[in-house]
Amino acid sequence: MNDFQYYAPTQVVFCRGAENRAGELVRQYGGTKALLHYGGGSVRRSGLLDRVKASLDASGVAYAELGGVVPNPRLSKVHEGIALCRAEGVDFLLAVGGGSVIDSCKAIGYGMKYDGEVWDFYEKKATPRSSMPIGAVLTIAAAGSEMSDSSVITNEENGKKRGVNSDLCRCRFALMNPELTFTLPPYQTASGCADIISHTMERYFSGGETVEPTDSIAEGLMRAVIDAAPKAVQNPEDYDARACIMWASSLSHNNLTGSGRGGNGRVGDWACHQLEHELSGMFDVTHGAGLAAIFGAWARYVMPSAPGRFARFARNVMDVREPDDEAAARAGIAAYEAFLRGIGMPVCLRELGLELTEQQLDQLAWNCSFADTRTIGSIRVLTREDMREIYRLAR
Amino acid sequence: MNDFQYYAPTQVVFCRGAENRAGELVRQYGGTKALLHYGGGSVRRSGLLDRVKASLDASGVAYAELGGVVPNPRLSKVHEGIALCRAEGVDFLLAVGGGSVIDSCKAIGYGMKYDGEVWDFYEKKATPRSSMPIGAVLTIAAAGSEMSDSSVITNEENGKKRGVNSDLCRCRFALMNPELTFTLPPYQTASGCADIISHTMERYFSGGETVEPTDSIAEGLMRAVIDAAPKAVQNPEDYDARACIMWASSLSHNNLTGSGRGGNGRVGDWACHQLEHELSGMFDVTHGAGLAAIFGAWARYVMPSAPGRFARFARNVMDVREPDDEAAARAGIAAYEAFLRGIGMPVCLRELGLELTEQQLDQLAWNCSFADTRTIGSIRVLTREDMREIYRLAR
């Protein structure tokens, strides 16, 4: 087992009506004036925003409002949030939404404590030293941002999507009511499940040694989501399926599944995420769907470097009963693609709606390799040429 | 899935030499003068205490010392600790040891913030409202106290062993170096493993509905410890086995395995723990060995109330391949007893060294039922008569 750190301090309240405790928890963590940060009109139409406001009112917490966060959240909205929070004297950030809204809050939190340009952190030109306290009312189970140390922002001026990781931004609390995800459309639900499983896979396929009990936990989480995903897609109001997906989203990305793999629990392969970040930076695709579309090409390309690990995945997660490791590995990849197709996910870029030119493949690989200055991946280290080949295979 | 809360804020540093970061972490959490609390002479002889002191010195943290904590930690030592901390102006409690030392620290922490008698909390005559900050350098993997909300103390004046649960006492940090457990004798190692598995079992056998992913996680943890325990018993310096056991000890009792079962993650059966508490209160047996000795009698007595759950345990944890549920359940219980015997654990009270008289059986059931005023268990609710019968069957 490798050395590691584990720190997941977020207080989780998981129940129907959890959103009604927002005011109490903001108070508990010292907030007196909150930024209420959210996305589109659905939180307003559903009445959720009113319930959260009533809860803040009841606890005597004042608030300012900033909606309009979009998937692949934008730097311009972050700037808007920082300016608003400074003008309003906000001392707590309350995200009402999914990963995009929470990630936007995290960026605002960093920016509030920094005199320079917040994008510096995302360009790795600076390291955050402080942040604001953040809480979340979760409405989409996917990104796991409610318990993670991660924030990913897209700079719409240059199409770059970049992430920052720091314990400073971990949510003080997360209010999780699976009923809030009942209205999520099947495609978004399925994309979320693909993202959740990918967060576990990125660590599971790190290329390091076997780590029990972490491997067993990861396999259990993946099996649980593979079981629940079709139920939630077919019956959006299946509470247990929604609850399973929501809790798995948090556990898949709070570093539990990275325990014993080194570092702060994020040690892993992360090539699929990096390859997808460039896709959704350039084309604004749904993150989970992008991950689904790239998985098969990546997996077949790198599998020969670690057939035993892919075979273990095949047997313990996909119930493949094939004695030969390479054959089992291939069957496992195909079985996972069949699962993805079954919940309506693309398994190649064309199914994602992208018909890429040779020039675009070059551009994606160029961007993903930071202009040929970095490699990605750990189960197999990928150069710019490898990245281009995986994008090509994924067409 | 039932409503639940999850809160496991302890910062874990898991590596060789973790103890050398004690000073830095006490400082990080605001401590300037620590109580260095420990058990017998082994932490002194091994040089561990000196390394921790050097780390505190290097960070400018002053300290007072109190050793002598024994297994089934005593109320008198807690009183001594409170008096010492008050006299010395201690503002941080640092446990260097296993569950007994950490539990003693937790009791001192409650007592420091309370004008009355600290035993009131353990008798449920009062509820703790505050505590002191606590950190741990873990030397025994068993109780899981380093991440749990639990403290169990024995009042040697009346032989009662009682527990308090509160998030207030959760450790700020836990420094986990598996090498520190290399010197643990085989019997203590095996007892620890029995305790770790029991913490997962108590929640797994709660009698509630199936909760994926929690059930999968629990099964993975149990399998991992069952795999690692004989390795650590046979080769005390097997780092990976020691690391697996140490991390499983924390995860088995930090409420992860109770997620979705209701409440704060402690919802479970807990009958084996209650039955064992009376044993070790009266006879001062090793907690994990006591749990091992009582398990089979309890399991066979309650299994007919939930054969499906015991069959799932048998198949998913003990690799039983028997189609009939009741037969699988019995085979699973027997297989688990065989595992316990294999690591040198008792599977009945006689093997634990206790030859109980009829009168002692009566007394144990009387104590465990709080003088016939409570039942225990949830997969099957047990009256005083049931408790007595399980003690008798366990002879």
Side-chain angles (χ1 to χ4, degrees):
Chain A
M1 193 182 285
N2 288 322
D3 299 345
F4 68 99
Q5 297 204 36
Y6 179 77
Y7 180 57
T10 307
Q11 181 177 351
V12 172
V13 176
F14 198 107
C15 61
R16 293 174 177 86
E19 65 273 20
N20 299 317
R21 294 186 57 189
E24 168 199 342
L25 279 144
V26 172
R27 270 277 176 215
Q28 181 184 320
Y29 288 97
T32 60
K33 182 162 187 180
L35 174 72
L36 208 46
H37 201 32
Y38 52 91
S42 65
V43 294
R44 195 184 297 279
R45 285 192 302 276
S46 69
L48 171 61
L49 206 60
D50 285 338
R51 294 201 297 283
V52 173
K53 286 177 182 177
S55 170
L56 295 175
D57 288 338
S59 294
V61 176
Y63 54 84
E65 273 187 67
L66 183 61
V69 179
V70 294
N72 300 317
R74 307 292 165 84
L75 181 60
S76 57
K77 182 61 71 178
V78 171
H79 288 152
E80 199 181 333
I82 295 168
L84 179 66
C85 287
R86 285 188 174 146
E88 295 277 346
V90 158
D91 60 12
F92 197 96
L93 304 175
L94 183 60
V96 181
S100 300
V101 176
I102 301 170
D103 282 11
S104 187
C105 264
K106 289 173 172 178
I108 294 170
Y110 289 138
M112 286 285 287
K113 298 285 187 175
Y114 184 59
D115 289 334
E117 164 54 52
V118 68
W119 185 249
D120 290 352
F121 300 131
Y122 293 81
E123 287 274 27
K124 309 278 186 266
K125 290 181 187 164
T127 303
R129 302 283 171 216
S130 181
S131 184
M132 297 263 293
I134 302 169
V137 177
L138 193 63
T139 64
I140 301 174
S145 188
E146 64 279 4
M147 284 187 90
S148 84
D149 66 351
S150 168
S151 164
V152 179
I153 296 292
T154 296
N155 183 338
E156 61 269 49
E157 286 185 10
N158 58 19
K160 285 184 184 170
K161 184 174 175 179
R162 295 286 180 266
V164 174
N165 296 94
S166 160
D167 283 332
L168 293 168
C169 78
R170 288 190 191 265
C171 290
R172 298 293 204 277
F173 64 81
L175 303 177
M176 301 198 202
N177 173 0
E179 288 185 337
L180 298 181
T181 66
F182 283 1
T183 52
L184 208 62
Y187 187 78
Q188 300 301 328
T189 299
S191 295
C193 292
D195 194 14
I196 293 163
I197 295 169
S198 178
H199 287 149
T200 299
M201 282 184 168
E202 297 284 14
R203 295 170 169 96
Y204 186 81
F205 290 112
S206 67
E209 60 191 281
T210 298
V211 183
E212 301 290 353
T214 302
D215 286 320
S216 281
I217 288 174
E219 290 161 359
L221 277 171
M222 289 191 277
R223 281 198 308 273
V225 179
I226 287 169
D227 178 65
K231 295 177 186 168
V233 166
Q234 282 151 36
N235 177 10
E237 304 202 355
D238 182 330
Y239 183 88
D240 279 340
R242 292 289 194 184
C244 170
I245 293 166
M246 184 171 260
W247 187 222
S249 82
S250 302
L251 294 181
S252 292
H253 207 31
N254 78 350
N255 294 348
L256 177 67
T257 59
S259 308
R261 303 203 197 283
N264 66 352
R266 282 187 60 84
V267 168
D269 189 81
W270 298 106
C272 282
H273 263 73
Q274 303 295 350
L275 292 164
E276 196 289 321
H277 278 186
E278 298 313 323
L279 278 180
S280 54
M282 266 175 76
F283 302 105
D284 211 22
V285 304
T286 302
H287 175 55
L291 289 167
I294 211 85
F295 170 79
W298 168 81
R300 289 188 182 88
Y301 192 79
V302 306
M303 183 274 285
S305 299
R309 169 77 6 177
F310 279 90
R312 181 175 166 151
F313 167 78
R315 293 173 186 133
N316 292 1
V317 180
M318 302 311 302
D319 286 329
V320 169
R321 296 275 161 267
E322 160 63 53
D324 177 70
D325 270 6
E326 286 226 8
R330 288 184 196 288
I333 294 166
Y336 184 66
E337 285 181 323
F339 156 75
L340 289 171
R341 275 220 172 85
I343 57 171
M345 282 287 99
V347 299
C348 64
L349 296 175
R350 188 164 288 118
E351 290 180 12
L352 191 64
L354 300 179
E355 305 264 358
L356 299 187
T357 64
E358 296 292 324
Q359 200 179 4
Q360 284 173 319
L361 294 178
D362 290 339
Q363 186 65 46
L364 283 165
W366 180 257
N367 290 355
C368 191
S369 64
F370 291 3
D372 213 7
T373 63
R374 71 158 182 178
T375 57
I376 62 171
S378 65
I379 201 164
R380 175 171 168 185
V381 174
L382 303 174
T383 64
R384 180 168 64 91
E385 289 73 24
D386 296 317
M387 299 175 205
R388 192 193 188 283
E389 181 61 10
I390 292 171
Y391 282 125
R392 192 188 65 76
L393 290 167
R395 284 207 288 195
Chain B
M1 194 183 285
N2 289 321
D3 300 344
F4 68 98
Q5 297 203 34
Y6 179 76
Y7 180 57
T10 307
Q11 181 178 350
V12 173
V13 177
F14 198 107
C15 61
R16 294 174 176 88
E19 64 273 19
N20 300 317
R21 294 186 57 189
E24 167 200 341
L25 280 145
V26 171
R27 270 277 175 213
Q28 182 183 321
Y29 288 96
T32 59
K33 182 161 187 180
L35 175 72
L36 208 46
H37 200 33
Y38 51 92
S42 65
V43 294
R44 195 183 296 279
R45 285 192 302 276
S46 69
L48 171 61
L49 206 61
D50 286 338
R51 294 201 297 283
V52 172
K53 286 178 183 176
S55 170
L56 295 174
D57 288 339
S59 294
V61 176
Y63 53 84
E65 273 188 66
L66 182 62
V69 179
V70 294
N72 300 315
R74 307 293 165 83
L75 181 60
S76 57
K77 182 61 70 177
V78 171
H79 288 153
E80 198 182 333
I82 295 168
L84 178 66
C85 287
R86 285 187 174 146
E88 295 277 346
V90 158
D91 58 14
F92 197 96
L93 304 175
L94 183 60
V96 181
S100 299
V101 176
I102 301 170
D103 282 11
S104 185
C105 264
K106 289 173 172 177
I108 293 169
Y110 289 138
M112 285 285 287
K113 299 284 187 175
Y114 184 59
D115 290 333
E117 163 54 50
V118 68
W119 185 249
D120 290 353
F121 300 131
Y122 293 81
E123 287 273 28
K124 309 278 185 267
K125 289 181 187 163
T127 303
R129 303 281 171 217
S130 180
S131 183
M132 297 264 292
I134 302 170
V137 177
L138 193 63
T139 63
I140 303 174
S145 188
E146 63 280 5
M147 284 187 89
S148 84
D149 67 351
S150 167
S151 164
V152 179
I153 297 291
T154 297
N155 184 337
E156 61 268 50
E157 286 186 10
N158 57 19
K160 285 184 184 169
K161 184 174 176 177
R162 295 285 180 267
V164 174
N165 296 93
S166 160
D167 283 333
L168 294 168
C169 78
R170 288 191 192 264
C171 289
R172 298 293 204 277
F173 64 81
L175 303 176
M176 302 197 200
N177 173 0
E179 288 184 338
L180 298 182
T181 66
F182 282 0
T183 52
L184 208 63
Y187 186 79
Q188 301 301 328
T189 299
S191 295
C193 292
D195 194 14
I196 292 164
I197 296 169
S198 178
H199 286 150
T200 299
M201 282 184 169
E202 296 284 14
R203 295 170 170 97
Y204 186 82
F205 290 112
S206 67
E209 60 191 281
T210 298
V211 184
E212 301 289 352
T214 302
D215 286 320
S216 281
I217 289 174
E219 289 160 0
L221 278 171
M222 288 190 278
R223 280 198 309 272
V225 179
I226 287 168
D227 178 65
K231 295 176 185 168
V233 165
Q234 281 151 37
N235 177 11
E237 304 202 354
D238 182 331
Y239 183 88
D240 280 340
R242 291 290 193 184
C244 170
I245 293 166
M246 185 171 259
W247 186 223
S249 82
S250 302
L251 294 181
S252 292
H253 206 32
N254 78 351
N255 293 348
L256 177 67
T257 60
S259 308
R261 304 203 198 283
N264 66 352
R266 283 187 59 84
V267 168
D269 188 82
W270 297 105
C272 282
H273 263 73
Q274 303 294 351
L275 291 163
E276 196 289 322
H277 278 186
E278 298 313 323
L279 278 180
S280 54
M282 265 175 77
F283 301 105
D284 211 21
V285 304
T286 302
H287 175 54
L291 288 167
I294 211 85
F295 169 79
W298 168 82
R300 290 189 181 88
Y301 192 79
V302 306
M303 183 275 284
S305 300
R309 169 73 12 175
F310 279 90
R312 180 175 167 152
F313 167 77
R315 291 172 188 136
N316 292 1
V317 181
M318 303 312 301
D319 286 329
V320 169
R321 295 277 163 266
E322 160 64 51
D324 177 69
D325 271 5
E326 286 226 9
R330 287 184 198 287
I333 295 165
Y336 184 65
E337 286 181 324
F339 154 75
L340 289 171
R341 275 220 171 86
I343 57 171
M345 282 287 98
V347 299
C348 64
L349 296 175
R350 188 164 287 117
E351 290 180 13
L352 190 64
L354 299 179
E355 305 264 357
L356 299 187
T357 64
E358 295 292 325
Q359 201 179 3
Q360 284 174 319
L361 294 178
D362 290 339
Q363 186 66 46
L364 282 166
W366 180 257
N367 289 356
C368 191
S369 64
F370 290 4
D372 213 7
T373 62
R374 71 158 183 178
T375 57
I376 62 171
S378 65
I379 201 163
R380 174 170 168 185
V381 174
L382 303 174
T383 63
R384 180 167 64 91
E385 289 73 23
D386 296 317
M387 300 174 204
R388 192 192 188 284
E389 182 61 9
I390 291 171
Y391 282 125
R392 191 188 67 76
L393 290 167
R395 285 206 288 193

